[in-house]
Amino acid sequence: MSDPQARFFRPTPQAGEHVWRGDSLAPGDWMLALGNEAAAEIAGALAGGAGLATLAGVLRDLGLRLDHGRGFALLRGLPAGVAPDAAALLGLLGAAIGRAIGPAAALTQAPGRADAWLLLAGGAEEVTLASAAAAHNAVMAQDRAALASLFAGEAPGFAAQGGTFAGQRIVSAALDAALDQTGAALRLPLRAGDVLALNPSLVWWLGPAPATLTGLALATEPSRLGLPVWAATPAR
């Protein structure tokens, strides 16, 4: 291996909730169901009423799941017509989690540079997600030289600093092989009104972006945006 740093690379397996396989998860692992009271509170807040007192605990839990848990969760229970203005709904929810780093807009590609994304489904869709940490561990088990190369270079696929892990999906045969393993990915069905929240440093989007999704990118604290996988990527 020509890179002297890669020669002394000491891989460390990732461990924790952010290491998952699609075939090991049940809906209860990723769904946060909202009741009628929460939906009514959101509708009232969007109409200029009070804040999100009932939903505040759910949104705190959501933030923890994104940063320290599996890296994604689905809010389900909002009537499809509760927010005719998708940007207003995403802005309301996003303000409880972080700071918007761009306007809410129709998703045209896989969610990119951000600490978190909120994605509102406008219709029935299916999206495919995978754990970046599980892909890391799979590459580590198969080809440590390839894993070393994924930590190096101007556009690395993985970074780990101070116990904080981040991954970015890049072109790599080793990653393709890891993600192609049967059961690695999760096929997640969305309904109109669902809000999918994900941390793109921990959860990778596989395949095209559905046409009915509206997305809002967020920066949170602590942030992973200074890690090598994102540092070279222009901010939105």
Side-chain angles (χ1 to χ4, degrees), residues 74 76 121 123-127 188-192 194 196 205 210 213:
L74 183 71
R76 174 163 288 170
E125 297 282 1
E126 182 179 82
V127 300
L188 186 64
L190 303 180
R191 303 174 184 171
D194 283 351
L196 173 62
W205 185 284
L213 290 183

Side-chain angles (χ1 to χ4, degrees), residues 7-67:
R7 195 183 333 145
F8 298 105
F9 179 72
R10 297 291 182 268
T12 301
Q14 290 294 307
E17 288 190 8
H18 65 305
V19 183
W20 51 263
R21 288 174 54 88
D23 59 6
S24 69
L25 298 183
D29 295 321
W30 44 260
M31 187 182 298
L32 293 173
L34 302 180
N36 292 335
E37 185 177 1
E41 185 176 75
I42 290 173
L46 290 170
L52 299 177
T54 301
L55 203 56
V58 175
L59 295 175
R60 281 194 299 271
D61 180 28
L62 177 61
L64 291 173
R65 288 182 184 223
L66 295 179
D67 193 37

Side-chain angles (χ1 to χ4, degrees), residues 1 17 22 40 53 173 176 217 219 236:
M1 193 175 299
E17 288 190 8
D176 289 345
R236 288 178 172 268

